[in-house]
Each structure stands twice: as structure tokens, then as C-alpha cells.
Amino acid sequence: MTADPFSVADAAMRLVEDLYPICRSITGDGVRESLRLITEVVPLEIHEIPSGTPVLDWTIPPEWNVRDAYIADAGSGERVIDFRSNNLHIVSYSEPISARMTLDELRPHLHTLPDQPEAVPYRTSYYTRAWGFCLSQQDLDNLPDGDYDVMIDSSLEPGSLTYGEAIVPGATEREILVSSHVCHPSLADDNLSGIAVAALLARRLLEGPQLRHTVRFIFAPGTIGTIAWLDGHRDELSRIAAGLTLTCLGDDHDFTYKRTVTGDALVDQAASIVLRDRQIAHQMTDFSPYGYDERQYNSPGFRVPVGSLMRGRHGTFPEYHTSLDNLLFVSGERMAESLDVVAGIVEAIDKNRALRNLEPFGEPQLGARGLYGALGGTTIADAQLAMLWVLNLSDGEHSLLDIAARSGLSFESVEATALLLEDHGLLGPALART
Ligand code: ZN
């Protein structure tokens, strides 16, 4: 799983730049156009679920599309707020309106961030009919009193919710799931970076050697899209061995891995070992039922073991959900690093297994089998220590990740050692549990 980091960085940034101007929401043509652009990186199967369809405890809402929106000076006709210059200017799911009103009448519909006077906030009103505009506090302060023409040319009509899926077939039906939300408008880190990392990982896996696990990528609108996917795939959830939501992977913050609800799932262990082995600055946080779609996957009826990988943590950095989360806030290099970490986690999950020492009574004679110095690139002492750890803990219960965690040795060296010992007939598959 190696690739030229510069070309990955370029490809990631190009995709983010292409997706950035599109006005996305939980439904509508913006999501369709975004999925079409992702399909240029990795082929997606596109699904449409009609408005009104019940999904778990929810219902697919009417489809929202917006063609234009502005607030214009009633006298000069000059647009003082223009959706065309930045799609964050409109509250997502705003109902249509065309009216003339005073600034005071308009104020309840205007959203700003007084503490960040230069930033435009991101606001939604998916399930309550409303309309509104978002603007910087500076721009609001500069609006003179007077009359304004307010226009939102939007539609809320029966349509459908759109999501995309890519499946990289493995040797088995056991699955690793990678999930990214595709419902945010012009916000680069949250979550175009997650989308780009997921799409490029899918492409890398499709072009690489086949894994044991099938890897399924879901590009769905947050909450309602994932709920719709879960509703339609209940029978397949037991195949999912591990999963990750990907978000905010293009900024300069250290990595954060957020654990699954149980905290001891395979993906939790793999993420912890991979970040440790690579000596990457990171924090591990416990699950909380907030954040992204990990909370749907981890809900008590499903308990699909899905963790979350991010750099900046949602809600904790000032650019989050504002116009400051723009193309300057993310970089292709950061996304390429993130992609390597995610690929490492997927690889560790895929290569992890429990083995059984076939000479478990005392220590097998390594020298007689030519195993001293048999591993290149490490000192004899390191290689011998790795063999002793793997032989000792390969009781059919401990996995290779368990051995890496317990011994402090890298997963890579534990895995290479296990392959060597298997070749020499000292390890075999763990017996199936009865
Ligand atoms: Zn968000």
C-alpha cells in the first residue's frame, strides 16, 4: 500500500477544489453532482430513496434545491448578500421567499458569529420550515437601515435522497466499512477532506492486491443518509468487522481517534497500534454520542463497531462550520498523510489474525530451524525477541494486534515474524471455537 505522496496530495486537493463550490445539503442536485465528481476517482453505485420513505425512526424529507438567493438594496438593486458568491450565505433547506422588508424585519432571519466578526456561519434548518441568510458580523454592521428585496429561489418538493457506495471485493465477505458524510456545502475540512481521503483510498485498494476483507465505502448525507443506509442493510451489518468515519482530515491539527462505544473493538486496537507504531502525534478519545455518523452505527440496536478518525476535532477549532473552513485551511499533503494512516489501519485489521503455536511445550529450538537472523533488517536480538513473543502468545486466543500491544513491538514486525514462523511449521491457524 505505497503510493507517491505528492500525486496523492495533488489528487486529493484537486477533488476538494472541484467539490468546494457545489451547494450540497442532505438531498438535492448538489449531492448528485458531488457523487458524480467522486465517481471520476472511484466508481460509485448511486442510490436514490424517495421522499416520504420511512427509514428507521425517520422519514426521507422533501428534496431541496436552490437556484439563486440574495438580499438586495431596494433602491439600487445591488446585491448586498449573494448566494452565488458563497453558498454558506443561505440557511440550508430555506423555503422560498420573495419579499421587500426593512432591515429590522429582516434581522430575525440573519445569522452571524459576533465572536468571529469576519466569518460567515454554516446553518441548517432541515426539519423545521424556515428561511434565513448567514453573513459576517462585519457585513451586517455595515448594512444601512432601509428597505431590502429578499429573494430565495428554492424548492422543497417530492424527490429523493441520494447516496453513493463503492465496494472493493475481498477474499471473504467480512467487511471493513469506511463512511463519509457528503451533505456540507462549501466547507473544505468538514468534510471534503474526508471524502477525498475515502475516495482515494478506495481507488488505491481497487488497484492493489486483493485483501481478505471486503471494504465498503459509503458516501451519504449525515444522519438521515446513514440512517437510510442502515435501514436498507440490516441483514448485512453482522459482516462488518470494523469501521471508520472519516472527517476533518485536511487541517494541521494532530490526529484524533475517537473510539467505538465499547472502546475495545478491533478498529480501536488497530488505530491505537498504527498511530503508536508510526510515532504520529495523536490523541485517543472515548466515544460520545455526538459528532458524526459513528453514533448511528454504534446505536444499541446495531452496535456496528465504527470509530472515527479526524485531525481537528469537531466543534473545537474556530474555523469549524464557518467560511474560514475553506480551501486555504486544508492541504493535499495533510490529506495524503491522513490517507496513509487510514490505509495502515485497514491493512492492520486485514492482516490481523490469531495463530496457534504448534510446538507449545517449552520453547522450540530456533537455531536448529535456522531461525536466528532469519529476518532481515533487524538485529538478531530484536528478531529473536519478536519470535519469542509471537510463539508465547500464539495460544489461539491472542491476535497479532494483541501481541503487538502487549510486547510493544510494531505490528509490522509481529506480522512478519508470524509469517516466518508459519513458513517453518511452528504456527498454525487457531482452532475454530466451538
Ligand atoms: Zn459538520
Side-chain angles (χ1 to χ4, degrees), residues 307-318:
S308 186
L309 188 74
M310 57 204 127
R311 284 174 176 272
R313 238 182 293 175
H314 54 84
T316 65
F317 53 96

PDB file of all heavy atoms in Angstrom, residues 307-318:
ATOM      1  N   GLY A 307     -15.316   3.445  14.613  1.00  0.00           N
ATOM      2  CA  GLY A 307     -14.620   4.556  15.252  1.00  0.00           C
ATOM      3  C   GLY A 307     -14.542   5.728  14.295  1.00  0.00           C
ATOM      4  O   GLY A 307     -15.118   5.696  13.202  1.00  0.00           O
ATOM      5  N   SER A 308     -13.844   6.777  14.692  1.00  0.00           N
ATOM      6  CA  SER A 308     -13.774   7.962  13.851  1.00  0.00           C
ATOM      7  C   SER A 308     -12.346   8.487  13.850  1.00  0.00           C
ATOM      8  O   SER A 308     -11.728   8.626  14.904  1.00  0.00           O
ATOM      9  CB  SER A 308     -14.725   9.028  14.392  1.00  0.00           C
ATOM     10  OG  SER A 308     -14.762  10.126  13.506  1.00  0.00           O
ATOM     11  N   LEU A 309     -11.843   8.760  12.652  1.00  0.00           N
ATOM     12  CA  LEU A 309     -10.511   9.368  12.550  1.00  0.00           C
ATOM     13  C   LEU A 309     -10.649  10.784  12.036  1.00  0.00           C
ATOM     14  O   LEU A 309     -11.337  11.029  11.035  1.00  0.00           O
ATOM     15  CB  LEU A 309      -9.603   8.564  11.627  1.00  0.00           C
ATOM     16  CG  LEU A 309      -8.143   9.056  11.657  1.00  0.00           C
ATOM     17  CD1 LEU A 309      -7.457   8.644  12.960  1.00  0.00           C
ATOM     18  CD2 LEU A 309      -7.352   8.539  10.465  1.00  0.00           C
ATOM     19  N   MET A 310      -9.997  11.683  12.741  1.00  0.00           N
ATOM     20  CA  MET A 310     -10.016  13.091  12.329  1.00  0.00           C
ATOM     21  C   MET A 310      -8.698  13.738  12.736  1.00  0.00           C
ATOM     22  O   MET A 310      -7.914  13.153  13.479  1.00  0.00           O
ATOM     23  CB  MET A 310     -11.208  13.811  12.960  1.00  0.00           C
ATOM     24  CG  MET A 310     -11.259  13.746  14.459  1.00  0.00           C
ATOM     25  SD  MET A 310     -12.948  13.965  15.087  1.00  0.00           S
ATOM     26  CE  MET A 310     -13.106  12.520  16.122  1.00  0.00           C
ATOM     27  N   ARG A 311      -8.465  14.926  12.253  1.00  0.00           N
ATOM     28  CA  ARG A 311      -7.377  15.764  12.767  1.00  0.00           C
ATOM     29  C   ARG A 311      -8.042  16.755  13.714  1.00  0.00           C
ATOM     30  O   ARG A 311      -8.210  16.459  14.887  1.00  0.00           O
ATOM     31  CB  ARG A 311      -6.638  16.434  11.612  1.00  0.00           C
ATOM     32  CG  ARG A 311      -5.713  15.491  10.877  1.00  0.00           C
ATOM     33  CD  ARG A 311      -5.125  16.188   9.648  1.00  0.00           C
ATOM     34  NE  ARG A 311      -4.156  15.385   8.959  1.00  0.00           N
ATOM     35  CZ  ARG A 311      -2.846  15.338   9.223  1.00  0.00           C
ATOM     36  NH1 ARG A 311      -2.338  16.060  10.199  1.00  0.00           N
ATOM     37  NH2 ARG A 311      -2.049  14.574   8.521  1.00  0.00           N
ATOM     38  N   GLY A 312      -8.459  17.927  13.201  1.00  0.00           N
ATOM     39  CA  GLY A 312      -9.219  18.834  14.053  1.00  0.00           C
ATOM     40  C   GLY A 312     -10.483  18.138  14.539  1.00  0.00           C
ATOM     41  O   GLY A 312     -11.143  17.437  13.780  1.00  0.00           O
ATOM     42  N   ARG A 313     -10.791  18.322  15.821  1.00  0.00           N
ATOM     43  CA  ARG A 313     -11.965  17.669  16.388  1.00  0.00           C
ATOM     44  C   ARG A 313     -13.177  18.578  16.244  1.00  0.00           C
ATOM     45  O   ARG A 313     -13.091  19.768  16.574  1.00  0.00           O
ATOM     46  CB  ARG A 313     -11.721  17.405  17.875  1.00  0.00           C
ATOM     47  CG  ARG A 313     -11.839  15.938  18.215  1.00  0.00           C
ATOM     48  CD  ARG A 313     -11.655  15.712  19.689  1.00  0.00           C
ATOM     49  NE  ARG A 313     -10.306  16.004  20.143  1.00  0.00           N
ATOM     50  CZ  ARG A 313      -9.946  15.972  21.427  1.00  0.00           C
ATOM     51  NH1 ARG A 313     -10.830  15.678  22.348  1.00  0.00           N
ATOM     52  NH2 ARG A 313      -8.704  16.248  21.779  1.00  0.00           N
ATOM     53  N   HIS A 314     -14.278  18.015  15.768  1.00  0.00           N
ATOM     54  CA  HIS A 314     -15.474  18.816  15.506  1.00  0.00           C
ATOM     55  C   HIS A 314     -15.826  19.720  16.683  1.00  0.00           C
ATOM     56  O   HIS A 314     -15.795  19.312  17.836  1.00  0.00           O
ATOM     57  CB  HIS A 314     -16.663  17.906  15.165  1.00  0.00           C
ATOM     58  CG  HIS A 314     -16.930  16.855  16.204  1.00  0.00           C
ATOM     59  ND1 HIS A 314     -17.681  17.097  17.325  1.00  0.00           N
ATOM     60  CD2 HIS A 314     -16.535  15.558  16.288  1.00  0.00           C
ATOM     61  CE1 HIS A 314     -17.745  15.998  18.051  1.00  0.00           C
ATOM     62  NE2 HIS A 314     -17.052  15.051  17.459  1.00  0.00           N
ATOM     63  N   GLY A 315     -16.123  20.963  16.356  1.00  0.00           N
ATOM     64  CA  GLY A 315     -16.590  21.895  17.379  1.00  0.00           C
ATOM     65  C   GLY A 315     -15.487  22.494  18.242  1.00  0.00           C
ATOM     66  O   GLY A 315     -15.771  23.322  19.105  1.00  0.00           O
ATOM     67  N   THR A 316     -14.230  22.103  18.026  1.00  0.00           N
ATOM     68  CA  THR A 316     -13.179  22.578  18.932  1.00  0.00           C
ATOM     69  C   THR A 316     -12.203  23.546  18.277  1.00  0.00           C
ATOM     70  O   THR A 316     -11.343  24.074  18.945  1.00  0.00           O
ATOM     71  CB  THR A 316     -12.358  21.404  19.492  1.00  0.00           C
ATOM     72  OG1 THR A 316     -11.656  20.783  18.399  1.00  0.00           O
ATOM     73  CG2 THR A 316     -13.229  20.381  20.190  1.00  0.00           C
ATOM     74  N   PHE A 317     -12.322  23.758  16.966  1.00  0.00           N
ATOM     75  CA  PHE A 317     -11.411  24.720  16.329  1.00  0.00           C
ATOM     76  C   PHE A 317     -12.243  25.837  15.690  1.00  0.00           C
ATOM     77  O   PHE A 317     -13.379  25.607  15.263  1.00  0.00           O
ATOM     78  CB  PHE A 317     -10.480  24.028  15.313  1.00  0.00           C
ATOM     79  CG  PHE A 317     -11.146  23.189  14.254  1.00  0.00           C
ATOM     80  CD1 PHE A 317     -11.409  23.718  12.993  1.00  0.00           C
ATOM     81  CD2 PHE A 317     -11.503  21.863  14.494  1.00  0.00           C
ATOM     82  CE1 PHE A 317     -12.004  22.952  12.009  1.00  0.00           C
ATOM     83  CE2 PHE A 317     -12.107  21.089  13.512  1.00  0.00           C
ATOM     84  CZ  PHE A 317     -12.359  21.633  12.267  1.00  0.00           C
ATOM     85  N   PRO A 318     -11.696  27.061  15.692  1.00  0.00           N
ATOM     86  CA  PRO A 318     -12.538  28.215  15.335  1.00  0.00           C
ATOM     87  C   PRO A 318     -13.051  28.204  13.896  1.00  0.00           C
ATOM     88  O   PRO A 318     -14.099  28.781  13.615  1.00  0.00           O
ATOM     89  CB  PRO A 318     -11.616  29.421  15.568  1.00  0.00           C
ATOM     90  CG  PRO A 318     -10.236  28.879  15.687  1.00  0.00           C
ATOM     91  CD  PRO A 318     -10.343  27.454  16.140  1.00  0.00           C
TER      92      PRO A 318
END
